[in-house]
Amino acid sequence: MPSSPTPKPGILSIAPYVGGKSSTPAGKRLIKLSSNESPLGPSPKAIEAYQAQGAKLQRYPDGSVALLREAIAKVHGLDPARIVCGAGSDEVIGLICHAYAGQGDEVLMSRHGFLMYKIYTQSNGAELVMAGEDNLTTSVDQLLAKVNERTRIVFVANPNNPTGTYITGTELKRLHKGLPPHVLLGVDAAYAEYVQEKDYADGLELASTTGNTVMFRTFSKIYALPALRIGWGYMPAAIADVLNRIRGPFNVSSAAIAAAAAAVADKEYLQRAVAHNARWLPWLSAELQKLGLKVTPSAGNFVLVEFAASGKTAEKANEYLMGQGIIVRDVKSYDLPSHLRITVGLEDENKAVISALRDFLK
Ligand SMILES: *Cc1c(COP(=O)(O)O)cnc(C)c1O
């Protein structure tokens, strides 16, 4: 017998998630472009709904999350019974892994895919398998080549974080078609609202029409409510039934439910965030390229920038920006040591990061 409490297999092999930084040297104005939140902040209606909850803190939240599921269903034309909400879409990812993958099972993702898939896979004792990519983009062929009888889940972020790249609706369908029906396909559409490309699909159609696809979304990014931890998934009724058995009965707070329901109903505010990004993402990408940096084409609200050809390192660039009060995301943990990820900010923030990088590269 071990001489102290010992966690289940896999847990000690987890490299803890390190989020984007949020502080800089004292006294500097802070420009935070490290976690992909909308720079416009949340809808004023969401803030108001959040504040109204302050008078009701003595009551438990509605464990069925009816208000929010119905608000989401109305906006997206969905069946509210097939929506499951979580404390961030991270919790939805965690519930899927907890329910469908354990020891002896494999979970498949793409090489530079979102790290939470790996963390939840390992925390459930399952084995993570990574498939190669083409040009920092999900490769359906390379994913399908890794599927075997032990595969339980395939996760695809579309568009992916931190690369910003996406696969087309046709490719997503081809991936689904190549999977045996017992393999769950998890489509992470955290940045779906931003995508302008006409051949994109967010996975909702597959989640509506197949027995093994779950699509999940977050209120943390374009809705700018990350502090409240709220996300949701759309899935076949049988999978919703499974996740509802294992989620905590009060896994999302009243404040999160109220704010998110107000946010999703405020389509006008959403359009402002979409329009802001459609204007500044191309600007930021073009200006970075003018500085001689390599930019991966992004469909999200951030860009992945490579420093290898600039004669300077991403690490030094990151240190320099930090010294200027500008926080971007180092993506070493994604096996991208020569890259940084920069979130699209407000106009002056975008201009500040370009001007700082221009000085740095001189
Ligand atoms: C930010 C992000 C999430 C999770 O966000 P939550 O804050 O947990 O809702 C999930 N997937 C991707 C790809 C993300 O970038």
Side-chain angles (χ1 to χ4, degrees):
M1 279 290 144
S3 60
S4 58
T6 304
K8 291 186 283 188
I11 290 180
L12 291 178
S13 62
I14 295 172
Y17 185 85
V18 182
K21 290 201 166 48
S22 51
S23 61
T24 52
K28 279 268 182 194
R29 177 195 168 196
L30 184 86
I31 296 180
K32 185 176 183 294
L33 303 174
S34 57
S35 302
N36 299 346
E37 309 103 325
S38 165
L40 305 188
S43 155
K45 291 176 183 159
I47 297 173
E48 203 180 305
Y50 165 79
Q51 284 168 340
Q53 290 300 313
K56 304 178 191 170
L57 299 183
Q58 79 278 23
R59 298 291 176 213
Y60 270 91
D62 166 22
S64 78
V65 200
L67 178 79
L68 178 55
R69 287 187 301 107
E70 276 158 25
I72 293 167
K74 191 168 164 214
V75 169
H76 292 279
L78 304 175
D79 173 1
R82 293 170 59 181
I83 296 172
V84 175
C85 298
S89 52
D90 278 359
E91 188 183 19
V92 180
I93 299 167
L95 292 172
I96 293 170
C97 290
H98 183 41
Y100 292 96
Q103 262 195 81
D105 297 333
E106 292 183 1
V107 175
L108 180 57
M109 66 181 277
S110 155
R111 175 142 184 259
H112 302 289
F114 187 54
L115 270 179
M116 291 312 299
Y117 316 144
K118 183 177 180 185
I119 290 175
Y120 284 120
T121 296
Q122 292 174 330
S123 75
N124 286 289
E127 194 181 327
L128 186 89
V129 177
M130 280 191 167
E133 299 185 350
D134 296 330
N135 292 322
L136 297 177
T137 307
T138 301
S139 161
V140 169
D141 289 327
Q142 294 188 62
L143 282 170
L144 289 176
K146 298 267 188 193
V147 173
N148 62 41
E149 65 286 350
R150 289 190 303 281
T151 310
R152 291 291 171 274
I153 307 170
V154 179
F155 282 117
V156 175
N158 202 35
N160 183 52
N161 170 17
T163 55
T165 55
Y166 77 102
I167 57 170
T168 65
T170 310
E171 278 295 275
L172 194 61
K173 267 195 189 145
R174 189 165 74 83
L175 172 60
H176 176 266
K177 206 164 176 198
L179 296 175
H182 70 274
V183 174
L184 189 153
L185 174 61
V187 183
D188 184 342
Y191 301 94
E193 295 85 354
Y194 285 115
V195 183
Q196 304 283 314
E197 287 77 1
K198 296 277 179 286
D199 57 2
Y200 169 74
D202 59 10
L204 257 183
E205 188 193 334
L206 283 172
S208 301
T209 57
T210 73
N212 61 337
T213 307
V214 177
M215 184 227 61
F216 41 95
R217 297 259 182 118
T218 176
F219 283 95
S220 298
K221 305 292 164 52
I222 199 159
Y223 293 103
L225 294 169
L228 291 178
R229 313 302 306 125
I230 183 81
W232 59 282
Y234 196 66
M235 61 204 78
I239 298 180
D241 174 61
V242 168
L243 301 195
N244 280 325
R245 285 167 198 262
I246 59 168
R247 74 177 170 90
F250 306 106
N251 62 325
V252 298
S253 70
S254 304
I257 294 169
V264 76
D266 193 348
K267 292 188 189 172
E268 205 175 290
Y269 196 81
L270 178 75
Q271 277 320 308
R272 278 172 56 185
V274 170
H276 177 87
N277 198 65
R279 163 139 196 245
W280 289 102
L281 174 72
W283 184 88
L284 191 60
S285 306
E287 293 296 317
L288 289 162
Q289 280 170 308
K290 283 187 209 160
L291 298 178
L293 299 169
K294 193 172 164 200
V295 176
T296 302
S298 173
N301 70 330
F302 54 88
V303 281
L304 186 69
V305 189
E306 187 181 356
F307 285 79
S310 74
K312 308 235 177 161
T313 65
E315 196 169 350
K316 289 279 180 230
N318 194 22
E319 279 169 22
Y320 182 83
L321 291 174
M322 192 74 79
Q324 303 299 307
I326 302 173
I327 312 175
V328 299
R329 182 73 148 92
D330 119 25
V331 283
K332 276 186 257 159
S333 57
Y334 284 90
D335 200 17
L336 294 165
S338 354
H339 294 73
L340 294 176
R341 191 194 70 197
I342 305 175
T343 305
V344 173
L346 296 170
E347 173 170 357
D348 62 331
E349 296 173 328
N350 299 329
K351 288 181 172 166
V353 74
I354 292 298
S355 149
L357 281 173
R358 187 178 296 119
D359 293 342
F360 168 72
L361 291 166
K362 260 195 210 135

